Amino acid sequence: MERNDTIDFIKFFAIFFVVCIHTSPFYDYQFGGIDGEKISFIINVFARFGVPYFFVISGYFLGQKLILTGKKSAYLKRYLLKITKQLVVWSVFFFFYDLITIALKSLVQGLNLDVEMSNYLASVFRIRNLYYGINAGTSYHLWYLAALIWSIIILAIFIKMGKVKLLLGIGFILNIAGVLGQSYSTLLITPLDTRDALFFGLFYVTLGYVLSNNFKYIKLKLKPYIWSILFLLFSFLQILEGELSVSRLNGIWQNYYFFTLLTIIALVLFVLTNPKINHALVNKVGANSVGIYVIHPLFISLSYSVVNILHLKGITHTLIWNLLFTPFIFIISYYSYHFLQEIKSGFRKSLRF
């Protein structure tokens, strides 16, 4: 099966903008008469294509692998086990990191250690976290892996039933309801966190799977450059939608929108109709996007800890910080995860002797 190089090429930009979401560049900076918070908001809303893109590509690759293997159940189990290991390992890592951070912070700031620890442990050891992942401390980003696991489990059930297209329709309806529970939550009050598998990840994972099985039968008349233009157009409309939901409807930042769906469809169709984009470094980094994703909050946390310890908070309001902090986190996350993989590989080789 022909390799699609553009997938990894776009992964590079998708993971970079995910890092942007978590670093919030320009949020505390003023451009003369221009409010930096507005610039940060535009970046944040534009960056919303990142996580859905990874969901779609995960579903797409899953479909590709199942086409090639005769033992579908065995592969699904191995794939789920791989993602579950990532979730468990990094949840445990950030759990102990947060414990150490809380202990040091309590010591330095004279806080009640027992109270701080109790509050953190109460947020970690909750039944709901088996579904949502540990959304506490520095592990807030791992909700994606939890959502991916549950989305694939549900998809596997419908694959077994031969009802994947039905699931795509159900996922679409749930996704629309999920957006109402996010950016429009002030209009539709719900106790549910809809940034999860059922209301968010399921549709995109299923969409990727369906495209992997049916794309060759779809006759698209639009050229790749048209899909790229549509992606930019829908991204612009998504920014306008975000502005409307926040300024007019009192919506909350850090959410997804109705135009997110159209943005992702345009982007994915651009990728699938133009499979030959390959820049050696960009594609190499994009292929390791999961590593950047799981580790980058560690370096964000460490950076702000150093700033606070050295009483340099003022530096976060400077232009140089807002220009370079996100690329710094991106680069150090890539090389750190790459270094960890080399250590892991060397350890495995040593066990063979």
Side-chain angles (χ1 to χ4, degrees), residues 12 26 70 93 99 101 118 223 253 265 267 278 300 333 341:
F12 175 95
F26 304 111
F93 173 84
L99 285 181
T101 301
S118 296
K223 299 294 183 181
W253 272 45
I265 290 175
L267 179 61
N278 190 337
I300 294 174
S333 297
Q341 293 304 104

Side-chain angles (χ1 to χ4, degrees), residues 30-45:
Q30 296 294 322
F31 292 87
I34 302 174
D35 188 356
E37 185 176 327
K38 285 290 185 182
I39 304 297
S40 184
F41 174 78
I42 291 171
I43 294 172
N44 184 286
V45 178

